[in-house]
């Protein structure tokens, strides 16, 4: 565990399957601090020197993007760095890195004197190095209490080997559903109500969003037609996708 992680009270290492959520400063040190956070978390993942270099460069670009386009004028805190693992949908693990900021829109309009040509150049680097595995979506903060709305900008890179995470989370359906619900509530989503269906816990809320656990997987669907399915071991990603869906249901224009 890095010193930064310890200071934030994070009692696990990346290979144990959770999400490292670390604060970022609202000043020109943001890229340096983001790089330091990430490089301290990577050694156990078996990444090559080239992969580590690519990750730290992309982290710098995401952090710089936050400073340039999403930091409040008064310099108040709010930016966060998130790092976790998930299945890439093809049976391989990938590393996910996200920066969170409190600006809901993707990009503010250019102001007087802004050099529009410079906007987005750092994200072109991310696009290239991540081979298209990047994007942004509405979400909620992890470090603030209560959680606040905003967006996450992310990239993902494949890991050289699968890192087992099963021992971290309870994998039986009822306990897994309760664990997921606790994570969702921590993110400020309180309108998902635990109920029971056929003796099994189910979460139900706005937009007829229903979340349940079946065959060692989290599943969800909503009136909008949105559906999802992830293995229980990807509880961090399941929580993130459900938070994203809830934020989109609150305001479809944010999707």
């Amino acid at each position: 565990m890095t010193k930064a992680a310890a200071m934030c009270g994070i009692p696990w290492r990346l290979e144990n399957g959770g999400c490292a959520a670390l604060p970022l400063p609202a000043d020109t040190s943001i890229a340096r601090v983001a790089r330091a956070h990430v490089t301290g978390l990577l050694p156990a993942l078996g990444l090559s020197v080239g992969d580590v270099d690519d990750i730290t460069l992309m982290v710098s670009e995401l952090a710089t993007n936050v400073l340039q386009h999403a930091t409040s004028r008064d310099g108040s805190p709010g930016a966060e760095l998130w790092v976790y693992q998930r299945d890439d949908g093809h049976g391989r693990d990938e590393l996910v890195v996200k920066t969170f900021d409190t600006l809901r829109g993707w990009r503010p309009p250019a102001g007087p004197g802004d050099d529009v040509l410079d906007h987005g150049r750092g994200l072109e680097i991310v696009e290239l190095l991540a081979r298209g595995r990047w994007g942004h979506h509405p979400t909620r903060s992890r470090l603030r209490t209560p959680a606040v709305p905003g967006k996450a900008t992310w990239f993902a890179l494949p890991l050289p080997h699968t890192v087992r995470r099963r021992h971290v989370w309870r994998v039986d359906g009822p306990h897994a559903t309760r664990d997921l619900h606790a994570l969702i509530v921590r993110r400020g989503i309180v309108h998902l109500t635990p109920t029971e269906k056929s003796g099994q816990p189910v979460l139900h809320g706005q937009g007829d969003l229903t979340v349940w656990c079946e065959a060692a997987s989290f599943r969800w669907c909503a009136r909008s037609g949105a559906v999802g399915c992830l293995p229980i071991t990807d509880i961090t990603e399941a929580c993130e996708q459900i938070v994203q869906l809830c934020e989109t249901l609150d305001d479809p224009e944010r999707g």
Side-chain angles (χ1 to χ4, degrees):
M1 187 192 313
T2 66
K3 181 179 180 182
M7 291 174 63
C8 294
I10 301 171
W12 49 266
R13 298 170 299 172
L14 266 189
E15 65 269 29
N16 285 344
C19 176
L22 305 160
L24 293 175
D27 56 41
T28 55
S29 69
I30 188 170
R32 174 178 56 79
V33 171
R35 287 194 303 271
H37 283 332
V38 169
T39 54
L41 292 167
L42 298 181
L45 301 181
L47 295 164
S48 69
V49 172
D51 285 339
V52 171
D53 288 344
D54 286 350
I55 290 169
T56 53
L57 177 56
M58 287 190 283
V59 166
S60 291
E61 298 302 339
L62 288 192
T64 300
N65 183 69
V66 169
L67 185 66
Q68 291 177 340
H69 305 300
T71 301
S72 61
R73 296 300 181 186
D74 63 2
S76 59
E80 301 176 7
L81 178 70
W82 306 343
V83 187
Y84 64 95
Q85 294 171 129
R86 70 183 179 197
D87 189 288
D88 67 357
H90 303 285
R92 293 187 59 189
D93 273 12
E94 63 182 5
L95 182 71
V96 183
V97 179
K98 300 187 178 186
T99 51
F100 169 84
D101 64 73
T102 56
L103 182 71
R104 293 307 300 257
W106 168 230
R107 186 61 57 76
D114 283 353
D115 186 351
V116 178
L117 293 177
D118 283 341
H119 285 200
R121 283 183 173 174
L123 296 178
E124 291 177 2
I125 295 174
V126 175
E127 167 82 29
L128 177 64
L129 294 179
R131 299 180 182 179
R133 292 286 289 161
W134 79 283
H136 60 91
H137 60 80
T139 188
R140 284 179 166 260
S141 63
R142 292 176 177 273
L143 296 178
R144 287 192 179 189
T145 304
V148 297
K151 72 172 180 297
T153 307
W154 63 273
F155 68 82
L157 284 179
L159 289 171
H161 57 86
T162 298
V163 181
R164 294 188 179 276
R165 291 165 282 159
R166 291 187 180 278
H167 64 285
V168 175
W169 301 101
R170 298 180 291 184
V171 296
D172 61 290
H175 283 111
T177 303
R178 294 185 186 101
D179 288 342
L180 178 61
H181 184 233
L183 291 178
I184 294 169
V185 169
R186 198 177 302 164
R187 303 289 293 282
I189 305 296
V190 297
H191 52 68
L192 274 175
T193 304
T195 60
E196 283 200 3
K197 184 176 181 180
S198 301
Q200 297 295 320
V202 174
L203 308 179
H204 186 73
Q206 179 181 351
D208 284 339
L209 174 60
T210 303
V211 183
W212 70 99
C213 185
E214 181 181 62
S217 296
F218 293 117
R219 302 174 186 270
W220 60 92
C221 62
R223 187 193 311 145
S224 64
V227 295
C229 178
L230 285 170
I232 288 177
T233 49
D234 269 340
I235 189 171
T236 298
E237 178 65 15
C239 176
E240 188 68 10
Q241 290 193 24
I242 292 168
V243 169
Q244 176 184 346
L245 178 57
C246 289
E247 291 295 279
T248 304
L249 290 172
D250 283 344
D251 184 353
E253 293 184 357
R254 294 173 180 168

